[in-house]
């Protein structure tokens, strides 16, 4: 059931929390973890690409793609294109982020796909890709019939939100897993980095929550919803 409130005010919260989450994840991986690198003798720098791109990609760009229909009073075709492009950016960054995690594990002699976080992560990226391809073919190009589009739209929206919630949950598991490993390695449980990781996870969860709230609220009228006088 859609909320009987306008979505527009919630979009400001989404943008603000999204910026906070980006700043926190970058500060964590650059200031505390030493930075980012695709090639390095310090393999931890390769892994640092993973949380940064997963948050900025799947979570932030993915969330902005979801709320684009509710935050932009533009023509439907324009919003459809923005929605598609933002999801494409999210998917590409997500794939690169996952490749970075595999690259780090392979070059460090660490086993792959042994944790619940990794299992869910692969599932999320596969479902995300399927959702994007289906949206491209049915709603953009070449496009399905009007009956197929009308019948598919509610399921596309519902499954999209489910995949996004799964992405938020998977990211939360990732923060927990990484922090647990760091604490086993000697990181102070009540130190500044541990608190930063937890606050970054909270910002990520809050961002996802407000994305969902925005998605089920009332959209502003599109430009082509107005009838000429």
């Amino acid at each position: 059931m859609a909320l009987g409130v306008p979505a527009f005010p919630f979009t400001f919260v989404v943008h603000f929390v999204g910026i906070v989450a980006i700043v926190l994840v970058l500060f964590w991986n650059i200031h505390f973890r030493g930075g980012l690198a695709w090639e390095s003798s310090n393999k931890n720098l390769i892994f640092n690409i993973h949380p940064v791109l997963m948050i900025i990609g799947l979570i932030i760009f993915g969330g902005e793609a979801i709320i684009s229909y509710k935050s932009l009073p533009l023509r439907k075709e324009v919003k459809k294109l923005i929605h598609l492009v933002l999801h494409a950016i999210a998917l590409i960054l997500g794939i690169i982020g996952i490749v970075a995690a595999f690259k780090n594990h392979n070059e460090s002699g660490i086993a792959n796909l042994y944790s619940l976080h990794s299992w869910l992560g692969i599932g999320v990226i596969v479902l995300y890709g399927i959702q994007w391809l289906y949206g491209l073919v049915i709603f953009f190009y070449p496009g399905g019939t009007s009956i197929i589009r009308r019948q598919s739209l509610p399921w596309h929206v519902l499954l999209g939100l489910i995949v996004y919630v799964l992405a938020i949950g998977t990211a939360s598991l990732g923060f927990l897993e990484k922090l647990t490993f760091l604490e086993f390695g000697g990181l102070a449980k009540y130190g500044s980095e541990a608190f930063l990781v937890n606050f970054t996870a909270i910002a990520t969860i809050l961002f996802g929550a407000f994305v969902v709230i925005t998605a089920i609220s009332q959209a502003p009228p599109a430009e082509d919803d107005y009838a000429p006088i």
Side-chain angles (χ1 to χ4, degrees), residues 27-92:
F27 186 73
W28 172 38
N29 285 279
I30 293 174
H31 178 74
F32 285 100
R33 294 289 96 207
L36 314 171
W38 190 256
E39 296 290 344
S40 176
S41 58
N42 182 357
K43 303 308 177 183
N44 290 326
L45 302 187
I46 299 174
F47 181 83
N48 293 345
I49 296 173
H50 175 71
V52 169
L53 291 190
M54 301 315 289
I55 295 302
I56 295 177
L58 280 190
I59 304 301
I60 304 299
F61 272 97
E64 292 290 346
I66 290 172
I67 70 169
S68 60
Y69 276 103
K70 302 298 180 76
S71 62
L72 302 173
L74 304 174
R75 292 186 298 109
K76 291 179 180 178
E77 290 303 315
V78 175
K79 291 194 288 188
K80 185 188 299 184
L81 179 60
I82 293 173
H83 178 79
L84 183 74
V85 170
L86 289 177
H87 272 313
I89 294 172
L91 182 60
I92 291 170

Side-chain angles (χ1 to χ4, degrees), residues 60-214:
I60 304 299
F61 272 97
E64 292 290 346
I66 290 172
I67 70 169
S68 60
Y69 276 103
K70 302 298 180 76
S71 62
L72 302 173
L74 304 174
R75 292 186 298 109
K76 291 179 180 178
E77 290 303 315
V78 175
K79 291 194 288 188
K80 185 188 299 184
L81 179 60
I82 293 173
H83 178 79
L84 183 74
V85 170
L86 289 177
H87 272 313
I89 294 172
L91 182 60
I92 291 170
L93 292 181
I95 292 172
I96 296 174
I98 289 177
V99 171
F102 276 97
K103 179 177 172 65
N104 164 261
H105 283 199
N106 292 337
E107 295 184 9
S108 303
I110 301 173
N112 289 305
L113 299 176
Y114 62 87
S115 67
L116 178 60
H117 168 68
S118 61
W119 291 7
L120 289 175
I122 294 298
V124 165
I125 202 72
V126 169
L127 291 174
Y128 204 105
I130 292 173
Q131 269 281 102
W132 187 83
L133 287 173
Y134 186 84
L136 172 68
V137 172
I138 298 300
F139 300 105
F140 195 78
Y141 182 84
T145 65
S146 58
I147 294 177
I148 291 176
R149 292 198 306 271
R150 184 171 61 252
Q151 293 178 345
S152 297
L153 182 59
W155 291 104
H156 182 67
V157 172
L158 176 61
L159 292 176
L161 285 177
I162 291 174
V163 172
Y164 188 71
V165 170
L166 284 173
I168 296 292
T170 303
S172 301
L173 281 176
F175 283 119
L176 176 61
E177 182 179 297
K178 181 63 175 180
L179 184 55
T180 300
F181 286 152
L182 292 175
E183 289 175 348
F184 277 138
L187 183 72
K189 290 182 172 60
Y190 295 99
S192 55
E193 183 176 358
F195 280 110
L196 177 63
V197 174
N198 283 334
F199 278 120
T200 307
I202 290 172
T204 301
I205 294 169
L206 286 176
F207 179 84
F210 278 101
V211 165
V212 173
I213 292 172
T214 303

